[in-house]
Amino acid sequence: MKKVCVLGLGYVGLPTACMLAVQGHRVIGVDVNPRVIETISQGGIHIEEAGLKTMLQAAINSGALVAKSEVEPSDVFIIAVPTPLAADKRADVGYVESAARSIVPFLAAGNLVILESTSPPGTTANLLCDTLAESGLKPGKDFHVAHSPERVLPGNIFSELVSNDRVIGGITPESAEAARELYESFVDGEILLTDATTAEMVKLVENTFRDVNIALANELTLIASEHDVDVFEIIDLANRHARVNVHQPGPGVGGHCIPIDPWFIIEDSGRADGLIKRSREVNDATPLRIVDLVADLVGAPAGDPADSKIKISVWGVAYKGNVDDTRETPATSIVTGLKKRGFDLGIFDLHARHFDFELDSLENAVDGADSILLLADHKEFSYLDPQEVGRLMRRRMIIDTRNCLDPQKWKDAGFEFYLFRKKM
Ligand SMILES: NC(=O)c1ccc[n+]([C@@H]2O[C@H](COP(=O)([O-])OP(=O)(O)OC[C@H]3O[C@@H](n4cnc5c(N)ncnc54)[C@H](O)[C@@H]3O)[C@@H](O)[C@H]2O)c1
């Protein structure tokens, strides 16, 4: 069992720290945000994730996990800090660099440093190794360095941490082997060893595949509406083909990975105008198409936007269903666009905690509304009673961008029901 220091206690780092602690490792969780340290030290959580609170309390109460703001000497350092997209559409690897620099004074011969943050190809072998070498120790010779991209699905992190296959790329084969030894303590999936830059690209390719595939689905939505057919039915039937897997369309692509990682893969590639970028543009244009759709179906507010009387009840602002995460959510552009068009809005989300605009209770969001616009497919929406909802509304209309609700149930309650532009 090792002493492991996990830097960055967010969606990736905190569950990983808990998992290592309950497996018997001694874990120091480090975060630069004092509020995060305070909350975790008291057994509380600052992010929503199924099973996290129970795991955290077990880890904290047993003393196996301690949250601190400073790094300590350890056997293993795991870096799970943000790698956001900068304004110039390049990766901001500044958090990785500063996390690595905070390890430098504590680095000792024989240690292992693992980068879990999603990073552009070459980050581990160059930026990370160069920064750690400021310790005077030689990466790959005096200590091990590896990249192991995290592929967990928010909402299902604990089961996926264990069951997912894990790619580990070492700067040397020995580094990859050292990282395998650690992950073997909790991973049931296959552990696949490679070099660090390949591992970085594998993660980026996974999300780029999904982004390009969603762009296809979003484009099919436009073509299907020209023929007045249901794009979800088309994709469902096409996917019955054994070798076809078209993803689901939606109001845009959000979250911390899919809209960002494709930029990382093309940033130094010379493919800046290729298919990957075009797909990003298609997906980025989707939220404003949803604004146009609402204006077309519900009717744009007349006259001075300030006099608008048309109210849209926006349901679900998280970037997808059943999570609280609003990072990069298309709901931000859609709400901004609807406000610019002069619509009154009532915004409801039972999972999201932080959003750029004020959230309402369900009753307030629906009260007097002329249409519901469903953006995130939280499972609770399908349990709502359409009659109860409809009673509060001025006009019974719903636009579902996720194929989340049963159209018949809502039509039986007198709703005009649209799947994108298709009237059901
Ligand atoms: N969220 C996901 O589902 C997911 C999935 C796979 C991969 N990833 C990748 O994992 C990495 C982390 O993502 P996340 O969602 O956990 O981010 P997050 O924002 O939820 O958490 C990151 C934490 O790191 C802390 N931090 C920043 N700089 C630090 C430093 N120098 N030292 C210590 N702590 C520091 C922040 O305060 C924050 O609490 C990113 O590269 C992301 O792309 C995320």
Side-chain angles (χ1 to χ4, degrees):
M1 290 297 134
K2 308 270 188 207
K3 182 170 176 191
V4 185
C5 183
V6 179
L7 290 90
L9 299 176
Y11 287 93
V12 168
L14 185 55
T16 304
C18 292
M19 182 61 85
L20 288 163
V22 299
Q23 296 302 321
H25 298 283
R26 276 180 59 211
V27 183
I28 310 295
V30 175
D31 204 287
V32 290
N33 183 342
R35 195 182 53 83
V36 168
I37 297 301
E38 199 185 315
T39 309
I40 292 172
S41 298
Q42 292 165 0
I45 52 175
H46 61 294
I47 48 172
E48 186 179 289
E49 178 58 40
L52 178 59
K53 198 159 189 181
T54 311
M55 285 282 265
L56 177 77
Q57 288 176 348
I60 294 277
N61 293 341
S62 68
L65 171 63
V66 179
K68 296 196 161 172
S69 30
E70 300 289 337
V71 176
E72 279 191 9
S74 301
D75 303 310
V76 181
F77 300 90
I78 296 179
I79 301 174
V81 298
T83 43
L85 189 67
D88 61 357
K89 303 285 186 202
R90 294 179 64 87
D92 174 359
V93 287
Y95 296 93
V96 173
E97 187 175 355
S98 77
R101 195 149 280 128
S102 70
I103 296 171
V104 167
F106 305 97
L107 198 61
N111 283 171
L112 163 66
V113 181
I114 302 171
L115 177 63
E116 285 202 1
S117 304
T118 307
S119 302
T123 306
T124 306
N126 300 309
L127 175 91
L128 180 59
C129 283
D130 291 351
T131 309
L132 296 171
E134 292 170 11
S135 62
L137 297 169
K138 287 207 165 33
K141 192 159 174 280
D142 299 326
F143 64 96
H144 298 302
V145 185
H147 176 65
S148 185
E150 193 45 79
R151 308 146 118 183
V152 285
L153 180 74
N156 199 25
I157 291 183
F158 281 105
S159 123
E160 295 211 349
L161 268 177
V162 173
S163 62
N164 283 357
D165 291 345
R166 183 169 278 270
V167 174
I168 299 174
I171 57 158
T172 58
E174 295 75 23
S175 288
E177 278 298 342
R180 181 217 290 268
E181 212 180 289
L182 180 79
Y183 287 111
E184 268 175 353
S185 64
F186 66 87
V187 172
D188 280 348
E190 202 172 333
I191 295 182
L192 306 146
L193 302 191
T194 182
D195 63 86
T197 304
T198 300
E200 285 160 347
M201 263 195 80
V202 167
K203 166 75 188 181
L204 300 178
V205 165
E206 290 163 3
N207 283 335
T208 299
F209 164 76
R210 298 175 66 199
D211 197 47
V212 172
N213 197 327
I214 295 167
L216 170 66
N218 282 335
E219 188 145 315
L220 291 175
T221 301
L222 296 179
I223 298 168
S225 74
E226 284 165 16
H227 297 281
D228 194 29
V229 283
D230 171 8
V231 70
F232 289 103
E233 184 185 5
I234 292 164
I235 291 173
D236 187 36
L237 294 176
N239 284 348
R240 296 299 182 97
H241 185 295
R243 287 168 296 283
V244 173
N245 174 23
V246 181
H247 285 5
Q248 297 294 302
V253 175
H256 194 33
C257 294
I258 300 181
I260 291 174
D261 297 358
W263 293 112
F264 291 10
I265 209 169
I266 56 175
E267 67 177 29
D268 286 322
S269 71
R271 298 291 317 145
D273 284 322
L275 173 70
I276 295 173
K277 177 155 182 255
R278 186 71 201 107
S279 300
R280 277 281 67 244
E281 288 166 351
V282 168
N283 288 333
D284 276 351
T286 303
L288 291 183
R289 284 215 325 270
I290 299 294
V291 174
D292 289 341
L293 176 70
V294 171
D296 287 353
L297 294 181
V298 188
D304 181 348
D307 298 331
S308 162
K309 291 216 169 27
I310 296 182
K311 176 174 174 180
I312 307 296
S313 182
V314 178
W315 285 12
V317 295
Y319 82 90
K320 65 170 188 171
N322 310 318
V323 299
D324 66 340
D325 196 344
T326 53
R327 289 177 294 179
E328 312 293 325
T329 177
T332 302
S333 306
I334 293 168
V335 166
T336 306
L338 290 172
K339 276 182 179 285
K340 267 194 198 147
R341 297 277 185 105
F343 289 103
D344 283 344
L345 299 181
I347 308 171
F348 172 64
D349 193 302
L350 64 170
H351 292 271
R353 300 178 190 194
H354 311 285
F355 186 52
D356 295 343
F357 300 90
E358 199 175 328
L359 297 173
D360 299 292
S361 66
L362 178 61
E363 287 72 19
N364 286 345
V366 166
D367 190 35
D370 296 280
S371 181
I372 294 161
L373 173 65
L374 188 148
L375 298 179
D377 45 348
H378 296 317
K379 64 177 180 309
E380 292 86 352
F381 292 148
S382 59
Y383 305 145
L384 291 172
D385 179 350
Q387 286 293 2
E388 293 291 319
V389 172
R391 248 191 287 281
L392 294 168
M393 295 177 69
R394 183 164 60 183
R395 174 179 171 187
R396 295 189 179 204
M397 175 171 176
I398 189 156
I399 304 167
D400 181 354
T401 66
R402 295 285 191 177
N403 199 18
C404 165
L405 302 174
D406 174 3
Q408 199 53 53
K409 193 170 138 187
W410 290 78
K411 280 164 60 181
D412 288 348
F415 274 77
E416 302 163 73
F417 192 104
Y418 291 88
L419 271 179
F420 290 108
R421 208 171 278 273
K422 169 74 184 155
K423 188 163 191 186
M424 303 303 286

